[in-house]
Amino acid sequence: MDTALNPNHIRFLLDGALWTLVLSLMAFVGGGLGGFAVAMGRIAPSRIIRIVVTGYVQLVQGTPLLVIMFVTYFGLPTLGFSISPMFAAGLSMTIYVSAYLGEIWRGAIESVPRAQWEAAECLAMSRAQRMFKVILPQAIRIATPPTVGFSVQIIKNTSLASVVGFVELTRAGQLVNNSIFEPFTIYLIVAGLYFCLCFPVSLLSRRLERTGSARARNLEALSA
Amino acid sequence: MSIVVLDNVKKSFGAVKVLHGVSFSVAKGQVMALIGASGSGKSTALRCIDRLEQIDSGRIEVCGHQVADPGLDLRKLRLDVGMVFQSYNLFPHLTIEQNIMLGPVSVKRIPRPEAKGIAAEVLAKVGLADKVTAYPEQLSGGQQQRAAIARSLAMQPKVMLFDEVTSALDPKLTGEVLRVIEELARTGMTMIMVTHEMNFARRIADKIVFMHEGKVHEQGGPEILTAPATPELRDFVSNEL
């Protein structure tokens, strides 16, 4: 039995890193769509929609992602749905990310000065026109740095998918370790790979934050 | 014929009563100046006319629209009413031309080339023909306010409301904005302006409404500013001039 770390192991870990990336993208796309719906629901004119969506956000934010994974992967099959680890992980991440991104985006939308809504209203624009032509373009600028920052959390949190048997980077590390038992080396490599995935994103986030805060100052001066 | 009528309008914000039964009317083509101390309710009265605030009781009629009617199509009301704010409220992510074209294109469905023509026309009116491609942040306060007036004009409203539009500007910039408004008054536009510029009000307004503690305290022609009938207006005018 081969007990030393060899290129095959490294390839296996890199494969895992690729799946981490795939799951992160799924989470970002799914969570992004869900998050947009959450943001819209949180500021909806209808009280009932606001209450329901706020409840959803509270529920998800008050639940560990790990438990959400358990509920989808182990719970849904008991209701007769058969689901793959990947689907369970993607669904759980989508649920989790949509609650957080939704709140980040709601904050960004609400930080566009009230007067901008009024100005658009006075031009006889409909609610949808005001939202899409006036408010969202400004909110997107405000929301970009924290959104990119949160993407780092998404990448790191995909490691929890290892518990439902989805072979992403962490699970790949566990599997390699099970065969050669060199935990220190292997998990250092795993940590290094996570860092390589996250660092460029957090770098981007910091850069956006710098340029963004300059923009925000301009915006403030404008509406003062 | 009155184009704007307020009849016994009352409005509170929570426990604070802001309007205690305000009544006045503005005829077509008239320029009305709404004056009064801070907190007298003049800005609130103006905002109620465009339903930016809903009134508690009373009646407001603007160009035939019953403004307080909960079933009113607000967009129809706002096609007839233009509003200019103290803080300009241009859209910072759009150029001046885009700011002006947004209403005509997205609300009135005017084709872009035609809307571009409208933008050029209103910008020329306010003396900003060379600022088409500029962003709001690149303009001075006075220029931004003139662009905001142009944006409102591009919708061809029947009534224009001005809410302390020069209060954020220094005297020189105030002058350039007031000249634009004066020009507009001369074209026969019906206007209601909340203002602290007493000399300006006296010069261009056909009608002065003085508000005091949420009520119309005195109203009349511009001559009431030089010969006030009530001690409150006398006090107010002597402090402002």
Side-chain angles (χ1 to χ4, degrees):
Chain A
M1 193 171 102
D2 187 3
T3 54
L5 190 69
N6 65 34
N8 280 332
H9 295 136
I10 299 295
R11 203 170 308 130
F12 190 67
L13 290 177
L14 286 175
D15 250 15
L18 186 68
W19 282 109
T20 288
L21 209 57
V22 169
L23 183 56
S24 301
L25 284 176
M26 280 170 61
F28 191 76
V29 172
L33 293 173
F36 185 73
V38 166
M40 291 296 118
R42 286 278 275 132
I43 57 167
S46 149
R47 215 175 100 88
I48 296 168
I49 294 179
R50 284 203 308 272
I51 290 172
V52 169
V53 174
T54 306
Y56 170 79
V57 169
Q58 296 292 338
L59 193 69
V60 174
Q61 292 196 345
T63 315
L65 174 56
L66 188 59
V67 174
I68 300 178
M69 296 257 181
F70 283 155
V71 170
T72 52
Y73 187 62
F74 298 112
L76 289 184
T78 65
L79 299 178
F81 302 97
S82 79
I83 52 176
S84 65
M86 178 148 141
F87 183 79
L91 180 63
S92 306
M93 291 296 296
T94 293
I95 292 170
Y96 170 82
V97 171
S98 63
Y100 282 88
L101 278 186
E103 281 300 276
I104 292 173
W105 293 347
R106 174 192 60 87
I109 289 169
E110 285 182 343
S111 70
V112 175
R114 181 89 223 129
Q116 291 284 316
W117 283 99
E118 287 187 349
E121 234 180 301
C122 289
L123 291 175
M125 296 171 82
S126 68
R127 188 180 156 82
Q129 287 172 332
R130 298 196 295 261
M131 182 61 88
F132 284 95
K133 293 184 190 277
V134 175
I135 303 303
L136 283 183
Q138 298 182 58
I140 286 169
R141 289 182 181 183
I142 300 168
T144 303
T147 301
V148 175
F150 184 71
S151 306
V152 176
Q153 302 295 321
I154 296 178
I155 296 173
K156 289 193 289 190
N157 277 327
T158 55
S159 63
L160 289 172
S162 59
V163 299
V164 297
F166 181 66
V167 187
E168 38 65 71
L169 181 50
T170 301
R171 184 77 191 133
Q174 285 171 348
L175 292 173
V176 172
N177 185 48
N178 286 346
S179 81
I180 62 172
F181 203 69
E182 282 193 50
F184 195 54
T185 316
I186 291 166
Y187 288 125
L188 272 182
I189 294 172
V190 167
L193 286 172
Y194 271 114
F195 181 78
C196 290
L197 291 177
C198 292
F199 186 63
V201 180
S202 59
L203 214 58
L204 176 68
S205 155
R206 242 175 300 155
R207 240 190 59 198
L208 287 172
E209 217 146 297
R210 273 203 306 275
T211 56
S213 61
R215 252 198 222 120
R217 275 197 302 279
N218 286 340
L219 263 179
E220 255 163 50
L222 213 64
S223 59
Chain B
M1 199 197 83
S2 291
I3 189 164
V4 176
V5 180
L6 276 75
D7 184 13
N8 199 23
V9 167
K10 293 182 181 164
K11 169 79 187 165
S12 305
F13 292 110
V16 186
K17 274 185 149 183
V18 185
L19 303 178
H20 305 247
V22 171
S23 306
F24 59 73
S25 64
V26 183
K28 194 168 172 0
Q30 226 176 18
V31 176
M32 188 191 111
L34 199 51
I35 62 171
S38 300
S40 61
K42 54 195 191 308
S43 277
T44 304
L46 195 75
R47 289 169 58 84
C48 288
I49 294 171
D50 204 13
R51 253 285 283 279
L52 288 173
E53 310 288 352
Q54 174 66 294
I55 61 176
D56 300 331
S57 67
R59 193 177 69 90
I60 301 181
E61 189 180 321
V62 178
C63 305
H65 306 289
Q66 294 302 327
V67 176
D69 175 5
L72 171 73
D73 185 349
L74 286 175
R75 296 170 63 195
K76 287 211 176 102
L77 169 70
R78 281 150 184 172
L79 279 173
D80 288 339
V81 181
M83 179 103 175
V84 184
F85 301 88
Q86 179 180 344
S87 51
Y88 335 131
N89 301 348
L90 292 170
F91 306 131
H93 60 295
L94 301 176
T95 64
I96 296 305
E97 185 182 54
Q98 289 167 336
N99 261 278
I100 293 169
M101 287 170 64
L102 186 60
V105 171
S106 63
V107 177
K108 290 186 153 182
R109 307 271 165 218
I110 292 174
R112 290 194 153 271
E114 202 180 314
K116 242 177 149 68
I118 294 174
E121 192 184 306
V122 292
L123 278 173
K125 261 189 203 161
V126 300
L128 290 175
D130 55 336
K131 299 294 181 192
V132 169
T133 57
Y135 281 89
E137 61 184 0
Q138 297 167 315
L139 266 53
S140 74
Q143 289 170 329
Q144 288 191 46
Q145 193 57 290
R146 285 187 280 147
I149 293 172
R151 180 175 68 179
S152 185
L153 267 181
M155 294 296 282
Q156 296 167 313
K158 296 184 181 136
V159 187
M160 283 186 78
L161 310 176
F162 295 86
D163 190 5
E164 297 195 34
V165 294
T166 59
S167 297
L169 303 174
D170 67 30
K172 180 175 168 287
L173 300 181
T174 296
E176 66 187 47
V177 172
L178 294 184
R179 268 194 297 282
V180 167
I181 298 176
E182 195 168 353
E183 200 56 49
L184 209 54
R186 218 167 285 151
T187 64
M189 175 66 79
T190 310
M191 307 198 286
I192 303 178
M193 46 186 195
V194 169
T195 183
H196 287 287
E197 302 289 333
M198 289 307 128
N199 285 320
F200 179 68
R202 192 170 48 197
R203 202 169 67 241
I204 79 155
D206 306 305
K207 182 173 184 177
I208 307 279
V209 168
F210 170 63
M211 285 188 62
H212 182 67
E213 293 178 347
K215 276 192 174 129
V216 174
H217 201 73
E218 188 172 341
Q219 57 177 312
E223 69 281 355
I224 67 167
L225 290 177
T226 36
T230 61
E232 286 79 8
L233 180 55
R234 199 171 312 137
D235 257 17
F236 177 74
V237 171
S238 64
N239 285 334
E240 290 286 325
L241 287 177

